[in-house]
């Protein structure tokens, strides 16, 4: 049973397109996250939701819009894709919005913008 | 500014030997949590070990242990009896009260295990 799943795993698209990445967790966790891993493998937080409420919103272009329809799902929609958006996007979840909690990661979505 | 630093971009170790990966961090807080994550070629991020800053005892998980030096703000990972399956990128990370529940990661250390 996959704990944190993401779809799709690979996404190749043209500049200017709009795309979405979906994330689901079956761990019963309250808190979910989106991280971006760039070409140098550096990981950085983008967003976090706790029980469908946005709690972390890093300095991310407003072309990126997260949506959490319920606490088990956190989707990431990206408008007007740019070359620099090419990266691996990881979804993660933790039991609560507490810094002591271990975060469990999905398998990542590799996005390539041509 | 980078607040978690892994000064070794690459490390290598012979199978069955021991290797230590370094990590330093910067915080003025006293209560925080430290983590080592492993990212093999499959890309999956896997928790290796975690340490609570208020605990003086170093965490251990089978062949993995940490050397946590709070005053020096150092959190190194020791892998004993290295196995081929340990080959991966290793990330040090922490979470602090002032940054909510987010993880702040270091740049990573690519570990190669030689047979």
């Amino acid at each position: 049973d996959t704990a944190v799943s993401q779809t799709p795993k690979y996404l190749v698209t043209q500049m200017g397109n709009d795309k979405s990445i979906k994330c689901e967790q079956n761990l019963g966790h309250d808190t979910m996250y989106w991280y971006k891993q760039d070409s140098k493998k550096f990981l950085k937080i983008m967003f976090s939701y706790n029980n469908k409420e946005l709690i972390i919103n890093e300095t991310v272009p407003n072309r990126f819009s997260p949506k959490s329809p319920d606490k088990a799902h956190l989707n990431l929609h990206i408008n007007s894709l740019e070359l620099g958006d090419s990266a691996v996007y990881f979804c993660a979840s933790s039991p609560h919005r507490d810094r002591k909690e271990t975060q469990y990661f999905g398998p990542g979505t590799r996005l390539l913008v041509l | 500014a980078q607040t978690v630093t892994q000064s070794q971009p690459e490390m290598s170790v012979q199978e069955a030997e021991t290797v230590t990966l370094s990590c330093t961090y910067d915080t003025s807080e006293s209560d925080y949590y430290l983590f080592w994550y492993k990212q093999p070629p499959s890309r999956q991020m896997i928790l290796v070990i975690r340490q609570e800053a208020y605990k003086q005892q170093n965490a251990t998980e089978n062949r993995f242990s940490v050397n946590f030096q709070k005053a020096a703000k150092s959190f190194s990972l020791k892998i004993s009896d290295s196995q081929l399956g340990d080959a991966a990128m290793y990330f040090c990370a922490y979470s602090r009260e002032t940054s909510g529940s987010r993880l702040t990661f270091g740049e990573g250390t690519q570990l190669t295990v030689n047979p």
Side-chain angles (χ1 to χ4, degrees):
Chain A
D1 287 343
T2 303
V4 182
S5 60
Q6 293 179 229
T7 53
K9 288 191 176 175
Y10 298 94
L11 190 51
V12 181
T13 188
Q14 299 290 327
M15 257 192 332
N17 284 349
D18 303 338
K19 289 293 178 186
S20 291
I21 305 172
K22 296 186 176 182
C23 177
E24 177 181 1
Q25 54 95 3
N26 62 7
L27 297 168
H29 289 173
D30 286 345
T31 310
M32 297 184 72
Y33 310 81
W34 278 112
Y35 288 88
K36 179 181 180 180
Q37 186 173 42
D38 64 23
S39 58
K40 295 184 178 179
K41 302 269 183 118
F42 187 66
L43 277 147
K44 189 173 180 186
I45 185 77
M46 298 175 69
F47 303 102
S48 178
Y49 272 74
N50 185 68
N51 273 323
K52 301 192 295 177
E53 177 191 355
L54 181 65
I55 57 171
I56 295 174
N57 186 353
E58 277 296 282
T59 310
V60 176
N62 56 16
R63 298 181 294 104
F64 290 78
S65 53
K67 280 191 172 56
S68 182
D70 56 62
K71 75 174 192 177
H73 295 85
L74 179 60
N75 303 323
L76 182 65
H77 187 76
I78 316 170
N79 289 326
S80 302
L81 278 155
E82 300 178 358
L83 294 177
D85 298 331
S86 295
V88 180
Y89 293 85
F90 284 96
C91 177
S93 72
S94 62
H96 307 291
R97 58 175 294 185
D98 193 309
R99 64 190 183 282
K100 70 180 180 183
E101 304 283 2
T102 295
Q103 294 184 22
Y104 297 84
F105 284 77
T109 295
R110 182 178 291 279
L111 171 65
L112 178 59
V113 182
L114 302 174
Chain B
Q2 181 59 269
T3 51
V4 180
T5 303
Q6 294 179 247
S7 58
Q8 306 152 316
E10 297 176 345
M11 290 282 285
S12 64
V13 63
Q14 289 297 125
E15 202 175 356
E17 297 292 306
T18 296
V19 64
T20 299
L21 309 184
S22 302
C23 173
T24 59
Y25 56 91
D26 184 27
T27 181
S28 57
E29 298 174 31
S30 59
D31 186 18
Y32 49 89
Y33 296 80
L34 298 161
F35 306 84
W36 278 99
Y37 278 87
K38 166 185 176 181
Q39 187 178 39
S42 67
R43 204 171 65 211
Q44 180 74 51
M45 293 286 289
I46 304 164
L47 178 71
V48 175
I49 199 165
R50 54 174 280 157
Q51 173 83 38
E52 291 90 345
Y54 62 85
K55 287 187 177 179
Q56 291 188 341
Q57 186 173 8
N58 289 325
T60 61
E61 286 287 342
N62 301 313
R63 298 182 296 106
F64 298 87
S65 61
V66 300
N67 183 3
F68 173 48
Q69 302 288 328
K70 192 171 184 178
K73 297 179 184 176
S74 170
F75 181 59
S76 60
L77 174 70
K78 185 170 88 170
I79 307 174
S80 303
D81 185 25
S82 297
Q83 300 176 0
L84 295 177
D86 295 334
M89 180 75 93
Y90 286 81
F91 291 97
C92 176
Y94 74 176
S95 58
R96 306 173 295 171
E97 181 174 5
T98 54
S99 59
S101 54
R102 77 190 67 191
L103 287 171
T104 300
F105 286 91
E107 308 95 326
T109 296
Q110 182 68 51
L111 177 67
T112 300
V113 180
N114 300 311

